[in-house]
Amino acid sequence: MKILATYNIKGGVGKTASAVNLAHVAAGRGNRVLLWDLDPQGAATFYFRVKPKVKGGGEALLSGRRELADVIKGSDYDNLDIVPADFSYRHLDLMLDDAKKPLARLRKVLSGVADEYDYVFLDCAPSISLTSESVFRAADALLVPVIPTTLSIRTFDQLDAFVAENPDIVRKLKIMGFFSMADSRKRLHRELMDELREQRPELLPSQVPMDTDIERMGVHRQPVTAMFPKSRPARAYQSLWDDIVERL
Amino acid sequence: MSEFHRFVVDGIIDPAVTLAAFAEQVGLSENEAEEFDRRFFDTPDGRLHADQSTLEVRNSVEFPLMCSLVWLKGGQVLASARVESGFSPDFAGSLPAGPAFDRLRELVEMRRFLPVATVRSRLSTGGHLDAEEKTTARVHIDLPSLPDGRSLPALIEVRAVRGYEAETAGLLRAMRAHEAFEPSDLSTADFARAMVGASPYLPGKLSLQLDDRASADEVWRVVLRELHEAMTANFRGTVEDVDSEYLHDFRVAVRRTRSVLQEGRGVLTPAARDHFRDGFKWLGDITTPTRDADVHLLDYPNMIAALSPEYAEALAPLHELLLSRQRSCQAQLALDLRSTRRAQLGAEWAEFLSGEGPWMDRSSGESGDAAEADRRARDVAAERIERAHSRLVRDGRTIDGSSEPEALHDLRKDAKRLRYLLECFGSLFPAEDLSVAVKPLKSLQDVLGEFQDTEVQAHALAQFGRQLDTEGASTDTILAMGGAIEQLSVRQSRARREFAARFESFDSREVEHAYASITGTGTTKSKKRKKKNR
């Protein structure tokens, strides 16, 4: 079981859309996939029409009072299951702080379903906190969507700095950055992407375009890869998944 | 796997009408029905059937070029891929790449896919939705017919989406209450097979349920007949080389027969016993070259995987040689199996087994032996097991790091003898003891098998290497074969190292108790000897 976390310190960069669509693509390729919506806002949960409620909340899961397997909900798609968001996740930092070995906690909770899934996607809330550190420890790779804007790139640098300063936390974590919400009509986007690809050749080759089809996910409450599988963004997510598998 | 329920739609009304009315009654969302020609595949021993899954090549009737390979279980698609129209899977290697089909590859191993049923189905998929329009249950409706137009039972299948079992309960109540719906374990493929009178799948394991009050004469007869059936069931597939497992299972049946004959002293007449032991030894021997060739080919992917990619590529001439050897060995085997000698052995054996009278002549001078035939089979088998177990323990304890490889090879034979006895006569004894007795024995056999197989393969590879060298193979090929032999040597050394721990598990008190319980020999000489040795 590989654990992949869509993560960025900054919000609104396409983390949830990436988690939802990549999970759907991975499941469509025959992998058994679990998506855990760790963001208390519950956008991924909403897209899959699941109620954002976990019995006993995040505390029950982290303390081991409730098995992760007991709160999993099937999606409308074969091989793709969801652990819904819960409003209590806003206190995840405090819960982890109270737990023994907080950094190892998330991985331990996930180990209970290790035989059931090939890939787990963690859709994380934007921040650097105890929760995100626990995610770093649990995950095999961080999928980092980066909007080609100065501010977004700056947060990528911050993540880099954190990784460099905390080798004990990140351990063997692979960082996979990719351009998200890229608008090739904008000169600034094009220039920044060229510049950054030169500076960071390790960025994934595929990029997810800015596209209204992605915004329609909220209306249709479906992944764009399910709604419009031949669309430009759907093809981008499919290609992005190929890149990720190759790097894994 | 989520909760899954299947119902046959019965009654005098057209099933399509019944299903449409039901869908409306319970508010199912339903997709438009599509017609498909479906060819189902399974292995000769029905591994998918046993797994409660199905593999089918599905062609859209409306768009004949739209063709998919679909692996389904409990109403859920486990794997699917577009394939060329007319595609038929044969071996695991012909399945599309990817993790989902990898799981199917693990299930079928070396067995060949055979077509088991063909149907035309009108399929529709619906859902039971909650207030958020989230699917809480998937509903599949199948209106199938055979290619000749005969209808098969219409099916409605419901799979509760994980986490929504409670929401599905109402739907299931309505289905159970419906007078036209009957719960069913059978799939469309099962119904189609039954309708055309398809042969049953080959049995995977011996399914003997012996009467522990019966005499040795009766039980030996039952066991040998069962083994004869296994031989017969695998004969044609062996001759036609459908897949390597036919020969494997054929050989196992022959070896078990030889073993049961060997243990049948006093149960069969010496003349019959000797005659058939000779006959089955010959039958076993003629299958050995082909089995060895099969093993080389089956192990080839492991051999390649252990080498660096450039060496793996250089081994292509070896693969060709192995294929060619397998073909020639198989051709000879087919001739031998169709020979007069084999036919005569088969006819004599069938006649011998069909006789109803006692095997031993009570009036002859063999009265002591005849008494053996009349004893309870359980007692006779227990003595044989006790003897085989004691021998294995005694010989195993003499093996240490300095023992010659032959000592391990001989021990493998001891282990096989005991295993066959447990497999053939095990049902005469308590299942819980049997389980404790067999598990460590199997584990010991695995390591002994690995030790011997790697040695035999290394010798064979060295011989193939010399042959390829004289035929002008490249230096890379010869080097790669050296690498492969080296890998086999590493595996053999590992097996040798693992032997001590495996034997220790087998020679434990818990296992000894299980054997003592099976054989009822808590105070036998052997037991005393074992105590003394400790």
Side-chain angles (χ1 to χ4, degrees):
Chain A
M1 182 178 80
K2 294 275 183 203
I3 302 172
L4 312 171
T6 51
Y7 176 79
N8 196 315
I9 298 169
K10 189 179 177 319
V13 295
K15 284 189 300 294
T16 298
S18 299
V20 166
N21 287 298
L22 289 171
H24 179 254
V25 170
R29 303 268 174 95
N31 299 291
R32 299 164 303 170
V33 178
L34 178 69
L35 189 157
W36 188 350
D37 187 355
L38 283 167
D39 189 338
Q41 289 182 53
T45 308
F46 174 81
Y47 287 141
F48 286 108
R49 299 170 186 267
V50 176
K51 286 182 186 144
K53 176 80 190 150
V54 170
K55 274 187 191 167
E59 197 273 331
L61 289 177
L62 291 180
S63 66
R65 275 193 296 113
R66 187 170 289 278
E67 294 291 324
L68 188 66
D70 295 341
V71 304
I72 290 173
K73 299 283 184 186
S75 75
D76 286 5
Y77 310 97
D78 280 326
N79 299 320
L80 175 52
D81 293 340
I82 314 294
V83 178
D86 188 274
F87 200 49
S88 67
Y89 291 174
R90 69 193 191 282
H91 300 310
L92 223 47
D93 275 343
L94 294 173
M95 295 171 199
L96 282 167
D97 207 22
D98 286 345
K100 284 181 194 164
K101 296 185 182 171
L103 291 182
R105 205 72 218 152
L106 214 50
R107 182 141 203 138
K108 187 166 178 3
V109 172
L110 283 164
S111 67
V113 295
D115 291 342
E116 284 194 63
Y117 296 100
D118 299 313
Y119 293 102
V120 173
F121 286 82
L122 303 176
D123 185 26
C124 307
S127 71
I128 279 208
S129 59
L130 193 54
T131 305
S132 43
E133 287 176 19
S134 183
V135 166
F136 294 170
R137 176 65 67 82
D140 295 286
L142 278 193
L143 311 177
V144 188
V146 183
I147 307 179
T149 61
T150 318
L151 207 56
S152 181
I153 288 166
R154 207 175 141 257
T155 57
F156 198 15
D157 292 338
Q158 284 175 332
L159 174 63
D160 261 356
F162 180 86
V163 167
E165 286 163 18
N166 296 279
D168 54 323
I169 293 176
V170 297
R171 295 188 177 175
K172 288 178 182 170
L173 184 69
K174 290 180 179 167
I175 312 285
M176 300 189 194
F178 61 93
F179 288 117
S180 167
M181 301 166 76
D183 190 344
S184 53
R185 291 166 307 178
K186 288 184 181 166
R187 192 169 152 199
L188 180 65
H189 275 205
R190 287 200 307 274
E191 283 175 1
L192 279 171
M193 284 197 287
D194 288 346
E195 195 181 315
L196 205 62
R197 281 206 185 280
E198 209 161 283
Q199 287 170 14
R200 294 172 179 270
E202 73 279 10
L203 281 167
L204 297 175
S206 301
Q207 59 195 48
V208 180
M210 172 71 94
D211 198 292
T212 49
D213 283 345
I214 297 177
E215 286 165 26
R216 285 190 203 160
M217 283 170 57
V219 180
H220 295 270
R221 298 181 74 178
Q222 289 180 48
V224 70
T225 46
M227 270 187 306
F228 309 117
K230 300 272 168 66
S231 65
R232 203 161 58 107
R235 279 185 280 121
Y237 283 118
Q238 285 152 9
S239 159
L240 184 62
W241 177 244
D242 291 335
D243 293 346
I244 293 165
V245 171
E246 202 179 309
R247 292 281 170 92
L248 282 172
Chain B
M1 188 56 64
S2 313
E3 213 178 287
F4 175 71
H5 304 267
R6 184 189 287 130
F7 298 83
V8 166
V9 185
D10 218 346
I12 48 168
I13 303 169
D14 179 355
V17 175
T18 305
L19 286 164
F22 178 74
E24 199 175 328
Q25 178 201 328
V26 296
L28 292 182
S29 76
E30 201 180 337
N31 293 339
E32 206 173 320
E34 268 190 90
E35 250 186 333
F36 293 96
D37 284 327
R38 308 164 76 190
R39 287 180 292 130
F40 291 93
F41 293 83
D42 205 336
T43 57
D45 53 353
R47 291 184 182 200
L48 279 87
H49 175 77
D51 180 55
Q52 296 182 318
S53 63
T54 55
L55 180 72
E56 62 179 281
V57 173
R58 192 182 276 193
N59 264 79
S60 162
V61 171
E62 196 177 353
F63 304 100
L65 293 178
M66 292 292 285
C67 187
S68 308
L69 181 68
V70 187
W71 182 30
L72 276 166
K73 182 171 182 173
Q76 187 170 8
V77 175
L78 297 179
S80 76
R82 283 284 298 276
V83 288
E84 292 288 316
S85 189
F87 170 83
S88 294
D90 52 14
F91 287 100
S94 69
L95 296 171
F101 282 110
D102 283 347
R103 283 187 277 279
L104 180 54
R105 268 184 272 276
E106 279 171 26
L107 179 67
V108 301
E109 298 177 295
M110 72 300 283
R111 296 242 67 156
R112 182 191 282 268
F113 289 111
L114 298 175
V116 292
T118 302
V119 301
R120 175 166 285 192
S121 278
R122 193 165 178 75
L123 294 176
S124 56
T125 302
H128 195 243
L129 310 179
D130 67 6
E132 300 276 307
E133 297 200 358
K134 163 85 184 71
T135 307
T136 54
R138 303 269 181 83
V139 181
H140 300 278
I141 291 171
D142 184 358
L143 298 169
S145 59
L146 287 172
D148 62 12
R150 279 184 290 165
S151 288
L152 291 164
L155 297 177
I156 178 164
E157 299 173 335
V158 177
R159 180 168 66 82
V161 172
R162 184 172 181 170
Y164 295 91
E165 288 79 6
E167 287 83 344
T168 312
L171 173 66
L172 285 168
R173 264 197 306 277
M175 297 182 79
R176 288 192 188 108
H178 200 293
E179 59 184 10
F181 295 168
E182 262 309 307
S184 170
D185 289 335
L186 300 179
S187 68
T188 294
D190 295 330
F191 281 116
R193 274 174 50 78
M195 191 81 110
V196 299
S199 325
Y201 292 112
L202 291 173
K205 286 182 179 172
L206 275 183
S207 53
L208 285 161
Q209 283 307 320
L210 302 170
D211 178 357
D212 66 356
R213 291 158 307 174
S215 69
D217 176 273
E218 289 165 323
V219 162
W220 252 252
R221 200 180 292 259
V222 170
V223 173
L224 288 171
R225 280 178 183 161
E226 178 85 9
L227 295 171
H228 182 231
E229 273 180 31
M231 253 185 268
T232 309
N234 285 289
F235 182 79
R236 195 164 159 197
T238 301
V239 172
E240 293 173 0
D241 195 19
V242 173
D243 65 33
S244 60
E245 207 59 6
Y246 273 101
L247 173 58
H248 173 266
D249 291 353
F250 182 77
R251 276 169 62 81
V252 169
V254 170
R255 283 206 306 251
R256 283 175 176 160
T257 301
R258 287 177 62 196
S259 185
V260 174
L261 285 170
Q262 184 189 348
E263 307 295 348
R265 192 170 23 81
V267 183
L268 289 89
T269 62
R273 190 166 155 260
D274 292 348
H275 174 67
F276 288 117
R277 280 181 76 187
D278 286 349
F280 285 112
K281 180 176 184 321
W282 168 78
L283 188 58
D285 287 348
I286 61 167
T287 62
T288 300
T290 312
R291 178 60 193 168
D292 286 349
D294 284 344
V295 169
H296 285 309
L297 281 170
L298 290 169
D299 202 45
Y300 186 75
N302 294 336
M303 199 193 294
I304 294 280
L307 297 174
S308 60
E310 66 272 21
Y311 271 178
E313 215 166 279
L315 275 184
L318 171 66
H319 193 235
E320 280 305 310
L321 178 68
L322 295 178
L323 282 171
S324 142
R325 272 185 64 82
Q326 197 279 342
R327 280 193 292 266
S328 68
C329 290
Q330 173 62 35
Q332 182 59 51
L333 175 63
L335 284 175
D336 289 340
L337 289 176
R338 288 191 181 113
S339 67
T340 315
R341 183 173 177 182
R342 210 287 314 156
Q344 197 178 336
L345 173 66
E348 284 174 1
W349 185 233
E351 192 188 341
F352 179 77
L353 290 180
S354 66
E356 290 299 329
W359 277 336
M360 293 294 289
D361 182 359
R362 269 71 169 171
S363 64
S364 76
E366 304 163 330
S367 54
D369 283 346
E372 196 83 334
D374 289 335
R375 286 176 63 205
R376 244 178 32 143
R378 183 183 163 127
D379 297 338
V380 178
E383 282 171 17
R384 308 291 202 256
I385 290 169
E386 200 273 331
R387 203 172 302 147
H389 175 245
S390 299
R391 184 182 169 132
L392 179 58
V393 169
R394 182 197 68 200
D395 292 353
R397 284 180 184 170
T398 64
I399 291 177
D400 58 24
S402 63
S403 301
E404 293 295 318
E406 285 69 29
L408 283 119
H409 300 336
D410 289 343
L411 197 71
R412 187 187 186 194
K413 288 180 198 160
D414 291 348
K416 271 186 180 176
R417 183 183 171 194
L418 177 58
R419 179 80 179 276
Y420 290 147
L421 278 165
L422 293 172
E423 284 173 343
C424 294
F425 300 104
S427 63
L428 293 169
F429 304 100
E432 55 274 25
D433 289 332
L434 202 66
S435 165
V436 177
V438 169
K439 206 175 162 192
L441 173 62
K442 192 169 177 291
S443 168
L444 177 65
Q445 282 186 285
D446 287 345
V447 80
L448 288 169
E450 172 78 352
F451 182 79
Q452 185 167 9
D453 290 349
T454 46
E455 183 171 276
V456 170
Q457 283 194 59
H459 280 301
L461 276 190
Q463 190 192 328
F464 298 151
R466 284 191 288 276
Q467 182 182 339
L468 287 171
D469 192 26
T470 54
E471 288 170 4
S474 71
T475 314
D476 280 355
T477 300
I478 303 301
L479 281 173
M481 290 189 67
I485 292 170
E486 178 66 32
Q487 285 300 328
L488 287 167
S489 159
V490 169
R491 276 169 56 186
Q492 193 188 23
S493 302
R494 196 183 305 137
R496 176 92 195 214
R497 282 197 303 277
E498 280 176 22
F499 167 76
R502 302 272 182 115
F503 184 75
E504 200 181 311
S505 299
F506 174 74
D507 193 19
S508 68
R509 262 182 209 291
E510 188 199 5
V511 177
E512 190 182 8
H513 281 309
Y515 278 97
S517 172
I518 287 171
T519 59
T521 52
T523 55
T524 60
K525 279 185 213 163
S526 150
K527 183 88 174 172
K528 284 175 191 161
R529 193 167 56 242
K530 279 180 208 165
K531 277 183 183 165
K532 198 176 161 191
N533 287 346
R534 283 180 197 282

